[in-house]
Amino acid sequence: MKEVKDTYHTHLHSIDRKYFKTAKKLLQEIHKRMFTVYLQPKINLSDEKLNGAEALVRKLNGKGNLVPPIDFIPELEQNGLIRFVDFFVLETVCEYIHNWQKQGKKFIKVSVNMSRTTLRKKNVVQKAVAICSKYQIGPQLIEIEITESIGGLEKKLITRLMDDFHAAGFSIALDDFGSGFSNIAALAENDFDVVKFDKSLIDTIFENDKSRTVIQQAINLCNAVNKNIETVGEGVETEQQLQILKEYGCDIGQGYLFSRPIPEEKFLKDFLTGENGEKCD
């Protein structure tokens, strides 16, 4: 992907000198396609049809085997290089959608993760818009996922970023809701379009009365804050969990019950098989 290589090499001058070699190696790995983007479908719980997808980065080692994200993401976040991966994912997703459109596939929204480190960088919204424009993709097809780690960002910065992303046409999702306390304040102070309930809330909702109460009240809270907000249950693995989420009015499900994260070609085969918006059930 020559465009990705060229785009990121223009930013090498901004890297802390002690991480320059690491950054250069990372860019070489991206250029050699050692990073790839998998897609995990999001399913409407009202009819169990495709709603969209989340893009998840994966890395291959020298033997072509997948490297667990935990083995490379934390280090990239710590040394400030995660933004190269975040923008690589966004660019790859835009390329996917561009190709789908040319093939007459259904237009779906795809969410991409933005780390706190990336959000701190200057002109992050403008860069996201520029990538979408390069592939002739409307920002309305991209959802920016941010986690509760935004609690470490200044409130003024969060507000400005939210306003700028919305003004550009992107939607914003609060990821991992329920994994900590700070995201409750974030929900109260910002206009999120989507709230994704952390897998830890979903895991025990069938066996545990308290877990069911928490998830039910969390859904009610989101709807009370914004009646147009979409709620997503992450990590859905059983039919029992699915039925409880449906009963409580959760809008969207995501998890192994529907599909693991899969390569783009398998996603096309399994979820975007037809043309002009047709898809398999």
Side-chain angles (χ1 to χ4, degrees), residues 210-260:
K210 291 182 180 179
S211 295
R212 286 197 296 276
T213 299
V214 169
I215 196 68
Q216 184 178 31
Q217 294 305 315
I219 293 172
N220 292 340
L221 174 63
C222 290
N223 291 329
V225 169
N226 180 357
K227 66 180 180 180
N228 295 317
I229 206 165
E230 285 188 331
T231 52
V232 181
E234 290 190 284
V236 181
E237 297 182 352
T238 69
E239 286 289 342
Q240 292 94 336
Q241 292 170 348
L242 173 62
Q243 293 307 316
I244 291 171
L245 289 173
K246 283 184 175 182
E247 178 185 345
Y248 291 162
C250 187
D251 299 308
I252 299 166
Q254 180 181 346
Y256 286 5
L257 179 64
F258 309 110
S259 172
R260 292 173 177 267

Side-chain angles (χ1 to χ4, degrees), residues 115-117 119-120 146-158 161 174 181-183 185-186 189-190:
S115 73
R116 178 174 60 182
T117 303
L119 293 172
R120 283 183 181 275
I146 57 181
T147 70
E148 77 150 347
S149 65
I150 63 167
L153 297 178
E154 300 83 0
K155 290 183 179 180
K156 288 184 179 179
L157 174 60
I158 297 173
L161 283 170
L174 177 60
F181 296 105
S182 60
N183 51 24
E189 295 167 355
N190 301 282

Side-chain angles (χ1 to χ4, degrees), residues 1-11 27 30-31 33 87-88 91 95 131 134-135:
M1 189 182 293
K2 182 177 183 298
E3 294 86 352
V4 173
K5 180 184 178 185
D6 291 344
T7 297
Y8 298 151
H9 270 290
T10 62
H11 298 293
L27 295 173
I30 290 174
H31 181 60
R33 297 183 180 273
F87 284 118
F88 162 77
E91 185 143 5
E95 187 177 37
I131 291 173
K134 181 164 71 172
Y135 291 91

Side-chain angles (χ1 to χ4, degrees), residues 8 25 28 47-48 52 85 94 96 101 118 140 162 166 171 204 217 234 251 272:
Y8 298 151
K25 180 176 181 290
Q28 290 172 343
D47 56 15
E48 296 193 26
V85 173
C94 287
Y96 285 170
Q101 291 178 347
T118 302
Q140 70 273 12
M162 296 278 289
H166 278 142
S171 56
T204 59
Q217 294 305 315
E234 290 190 284
D251 299 308
L272 290 177

Side-chain angles (χ1 to χ4, degrees), residues 50-61:
L50 183 69
N51 172 276
E54 178 180 358
L56 297 161
V57 69
R58 295 293 184 263
K59 184 180 181 181
L60 304 174
N61 61 21

Side-chain angles (χ1 to χ4, degrees), residues 266-280:
K266 182 169 176 56
F267 183 83
L268 280 176
K269 178 182 177 182
D270 291 353
F271 294 95
L272 290 177
T273 56
E275 296 182 352
N276 301 318
E278 298 175 9
K279 58 185 180 296
C280 63

